[in-house]
């Protein structure tokens, strides 16, 4: 399969994944906004920091949470012990679906992944809303049952799909799978009577170390706030809500694109070889795609940062009421808007970097990640002591900035001896920079005059000002970024999705 065919397939998967994510996330967004009106921030804070990693870790960390860490007041947060046990069990159940998830990801079954996860999240939100209304005194039982339903539905979706697929010998998809029956996904003895394929085990261990370090870099602030008690449960609850709301765009837009185009880069590029040693007809396509993705990530992130600063308080007030729109909530979301910009750029740069690196380069990168993980955890603690929960987001910005710098250096070295310069995707015209600056200034003045305690007419006027500024910014993009617009229309457009679903 040529590079352009792989690009078309990856683009179609990104488009379908993007639209399905938007549809299902919109439903859960409304349900979660409804649920928040009936919950205390202390219960939300408890639920979002109990994350075991496996059966052994479930037992170990369950004991830690119940015996060593602070146990909340049973009157404020009832059924805490049962909740910890239920979340440990749900993590073990979810691990059962991991082989199916990996297989679906490797075979580009993106629609299966999106539908399974979205259906699970919707059912979880519906059950949570129902229990909150009818039995609010159940406390953590509500979230525990909802989490168990989520993991059960998620695993069942994958099991049912692959059972049906592997049972159909006439299916074209079944003929391309590396397994022929369900038992192939279980541990088995290899041809040379070895229980472990050591070559694959070493590669798996390399990626496991990388994933573990990325987990610390991604979720490290949760461990800090949990084990060091730098925030009370109420502040943790507000932080988690704002974090989930702020990362909504990352999950809706960035994640489907990153996952699909990582597969594209991995299939087209030969690991460990720079641009001069690759097939040059493929490199033309790869460089153009990387440049367009960088530009798309930069513009999307800048738009969120520019308009997010002026509309954070209004968004939180609509989403969660006074509990979120007062206190630290708006400052947290404004800070997160800046983090989203860095998150967008890092997603694209790392997606290319990890697809092009050799095993040795991945191992060296892991050592760098180890040092970065330690400094990130220390910085999270120090900044939180200095400026509260905003310190976590600032530490994440520092972490993401370092990771972006590493990836940019790799990409620069990769293309240094070639005629291709995909990093120009991070450059913007003066006209576009002026449009973003003007929009940011106008919307900031509008927020000061019209939002958010002067009633709904003033709020709607503030929204109208933002819509006009957004229209001006989008118009400037259409006039100045014609190359990007062509890429979006041809590779991520609706026509591609129509080809996929027809």
């Amino acid at each position: 399969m040529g590079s352009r065919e792989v690009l078309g397939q990856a683009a179609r998967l990104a488009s379908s994944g993007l639209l399905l994510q938007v549809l299902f996330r919109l439903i859960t967004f409304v349900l979660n906004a409804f649920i928040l009106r009936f919950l205390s921030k202390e219960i939300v804070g408890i639920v979002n920091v109990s994350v075991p990693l496996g059966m052994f870790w479930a037992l170990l960390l369950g004991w830690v949470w119940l015996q060593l860490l602070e146990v909340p007041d049973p009157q404020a947060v009832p059924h805490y012990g049962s909740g910890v046990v239920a979340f440990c069990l749900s993590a073990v159940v979810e691990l059962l679906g991991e082989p199916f998830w990996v297989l679906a990801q490797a075979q580009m079954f993106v629609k299966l992944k999106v539908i399974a996860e979205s259906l699970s999240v919707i059912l979880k939100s519906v059950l949570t809303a129902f229990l909150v209304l009818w039995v609010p005194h159940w406390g953590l039982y509500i979230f525990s049952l909802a989490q168990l339903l989520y993991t059960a539905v998620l695993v069942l979706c994958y099991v049912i799909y692959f059972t049906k697929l592997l049972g159909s010998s006439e299916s074209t998809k079944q003929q391309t799978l590396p397994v022929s029956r369900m038992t192939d996904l279980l541990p088995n003895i290899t041809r040379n009577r070895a229980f472990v394929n050591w070559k694959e085990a070493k590669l798996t261990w390399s990626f496991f170390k990388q994933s573990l370090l990325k987990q610390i870099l991604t979720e490290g602030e949760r461990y800090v706030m949990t084990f060091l008690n730098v925030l009370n449960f109420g502040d943790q609850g507000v932080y988690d809500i704002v974090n989930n709301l702020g990362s909504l765009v990352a999950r809706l837009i960035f994640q489907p694109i990153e996952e699909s185009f990582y597969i594209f880069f991995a299939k087209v590029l030969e690991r460990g070889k720079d641009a001069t040693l690759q097939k040059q007809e493929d490199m033309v396509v790869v460089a153009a795609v990387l440049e367009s993705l960088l530009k798309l990530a930069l513009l999307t992130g800048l738009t969120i940062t520019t308009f997010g600063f002026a509309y954070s308080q209004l968004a939180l007030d609509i989403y969660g009421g006074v509990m979120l729109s007062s206190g630290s909530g708006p400052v947290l979301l404004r800070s997160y808007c800046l983090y989203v910009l860095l998150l967008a750029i890092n997603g694209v740069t790392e997606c290319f970097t990890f697809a092009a690196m050799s095993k040795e380069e991945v191992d060296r990168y892991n050592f760098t990640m180890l040092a970065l993980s330690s400094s990130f955890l220390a910085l999270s603690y120090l900044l939180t002591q200095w400026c509260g929960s905003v310190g976590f987001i600032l530490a994440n910005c520092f972490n993401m900035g370092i990771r972006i710098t590493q990836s940019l250096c790799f990409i620069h070295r990769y293309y240094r001896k070639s005629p291709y310069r995909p990093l120009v995707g991070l450059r913007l015209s003066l006209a576009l920079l002026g449009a973003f600056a003007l929009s940011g200034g106008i919307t900031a003045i509008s927020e000061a005059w019209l939002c958010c305690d002067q009633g709904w007419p003033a709020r709607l006027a503030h929204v109208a000002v933002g819509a006009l500024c957004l229209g001006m910014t989008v118009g400037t993009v259409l006039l100045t970024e014609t190359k990007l617009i062509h890429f979006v229309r041809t590779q991520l457009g609706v026509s591609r999705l129509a080809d996929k679903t027809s």
Side-chain angles (χ1 to χ4, degrees), residues 257-275:
I257 293 176
E258 291 164 15
E259 290 179 350
S260 299
F261 282 96
Y262 169 79
I263 297 174
F264 162 71
F265 291 133
K267 283 181 174 287
V268 173
L269 299 176
E270 292 187 51
R271 288 185 177 273
K273 296 182 178 180
D274 64 22

Side-chain angles (χ1 to χ4, degrees), residues 35-99:
I35 291 168
L36 285 175
R37 306 284 176 168
F38 298 89
L39 293 174
S40 69
K41 57 186 179 181
E42 284 76 17
I43 286 186
V44 177
I46 292 290
V47 167
N48 284 308
V49 296
S50 180
V51 188
L53 302 177
M55 186 175 293
F56 169 76
W57 290 107
L59 295 173
L60 176 61
L61 295 180
W63 177 79
V64 169
W65 252 257
L66 292 174
Q67 302 296 327
L68 300 182
L69 297 181
E70 177 188 1
V71 176
D73 182 4
Q75 298 298 323
V77 184
H79 315 301
Y80 176 76
S82 301
V84 171
V85 173
F87 270 81
C88 291
L89 178 61
S90 70
V92 175
V93 172
E94 191 169 354
L95 283 175
L96 298 175
E98 284 296 304

Side-chain angles (χ1 to χ4, degrees), residues 13 19 68 89 108 128 161-162 173 181 210 225 236 247 297 340 357 363 394 426 446:
L13 291 173
L19 292 181
L68 300 182
L89 178 61
M108 290 188 175
T128 304
Y161 179 85
F162 280 106
K173 285 185 177 180
R181 55 187 183 274
Q210 177 187 331
M225 74 171 67
Q236 288 184 37
S247 62
V340 168
M357 277 182 171
D363 287 336
L394 296 179
L426 295 176
S446 173

Side-chain angles (χ1 to χ4, degrees), residues 151-170:
T151 53
V153 172
L154 182 66
V155 173
L156 279 175
C157 285
Y158 280 107
V159 170
I160 292 173
Y161 179 85
F162 280 106
T163 299
K164 182 178 178 181
L165 181 62
L166 293 173
S168 174
S169 59
E170 298 179 357

Side-chain angles (χ1 to χ4, degrees), residues 187-410:
N188 57 80
I189 304 297
T190 59
R191 292 180 179 178
N192 57 358
R193 298 183 178 275
F195 191 72
V196 177
N197 184 320
W198 289 107
K199 181 179 180 181
E200 294 183 359
K202 290 180 180 178
L203 183 61
T204 302
W205 173 245
S206 177
F207 280 105
F208 170 78
K209 291 185 291 184
Q210 177 187 331
S211 300
L212 179 62
L213 293 171
K214 286 190 68 175
Q215 170 69 13
I216 296 175
L217 291 173
T218 305
E219 303 286 345
E221 74 273 12
R222 298 179 185 271
Y223 301 114
V224 172
M225 74 171 67
T226 300
F227 289 104
L228 300 180
N229 292 324
V230 293
L231 299 177
N232 59 44
F233 288 124
D235 290 339
Q236 288 184 37
V238 173
Y239 175 85
D240 282 314
I241 295 169
V242 171
N243 179 70
N244 291 333
L245 182 61
S247 62
L248 189 63
V249 175
R251 295 194 302 268
L252 287 177
I253 300 177
F254 304 145
Q255 185 177 357
I257 293 176
E258 291 164 15
E259 290 179 350
S260 299
F261 282 96
Y262 169 79
I263 297 174
F264 162 71
F265 291 133
K267 283 181 174 287
V268 173
L269 299 176
E270 292 187 51
R271 288 185 177 273
K273 296 182 178 180
D274 64 22
T276 59
L277 300 177
Q278 305 281 349
K279 295 180 180 178
Q280 291 307 298
E281 60 270 22
D282 291 343
M283 291 311 301
V284 174
V285 179
V286 169
V289 170
L290 180 56
E291 178 184 342
S292 297
L293 289 178
L294 286 172
K295 183 78 70 174
L296 180 62
L298 178 62
L299 290 177
T300 305
L302 275 177
T303 302
I304 293 169
T305 302
T306 301
F307 292 91
F309 270 76
Y311 291 88
S312 292
Q313 186 175 358
L314 179 60
L316 289 175
D317 191 63
I318 295 173
Y319 186 63
V322 179
M323 180 183 75
L324 296 182
S325 61
S326 61
S328 62
V331 178
L332 281 172
L333 189 54
R334 291 187 183 105
S335 303
Y336 205 95
C337 289
L338 174 61
Y339 176 56
V340 168
L341 169 61
L342 300 175
L343 199 65
I345 298 173
N346 180 72
V348 174
T349 55
E350 282 196 347
C351 125
F352 174 86
T353 300
F354 291 148
M357 277 182 171
S358 65
K359 177 185 177 300
E360 292 73 20
E361 289 172 322
V362 171
D363 287 336
R364 288 197 299 267
Y365 185 82
N366 286 340
F367 282 108
T368 306
M369 295 270 280
L370 179 60
L372 185 58
S373 301
S374 303
S375 61
F376 168 65
L377 294 177
L379 187 62
S380 296
Y381 178 77
L382 294 175
L383 288 177
T384 307
Q385 295 293 317
W386 175 49
C387 55
S389 53
V390 177
F392 286 126
I393 300 178
L394 296 179
N396 272 314
C397 289
F398 169 80
N399 152 43
M400 207 57 64
I402 298 297
R403 289 167 64 178
I404 290 172
T405 302
Q406 287 184 298
S407 297
L408 291 179
C409 290
F410 175 85

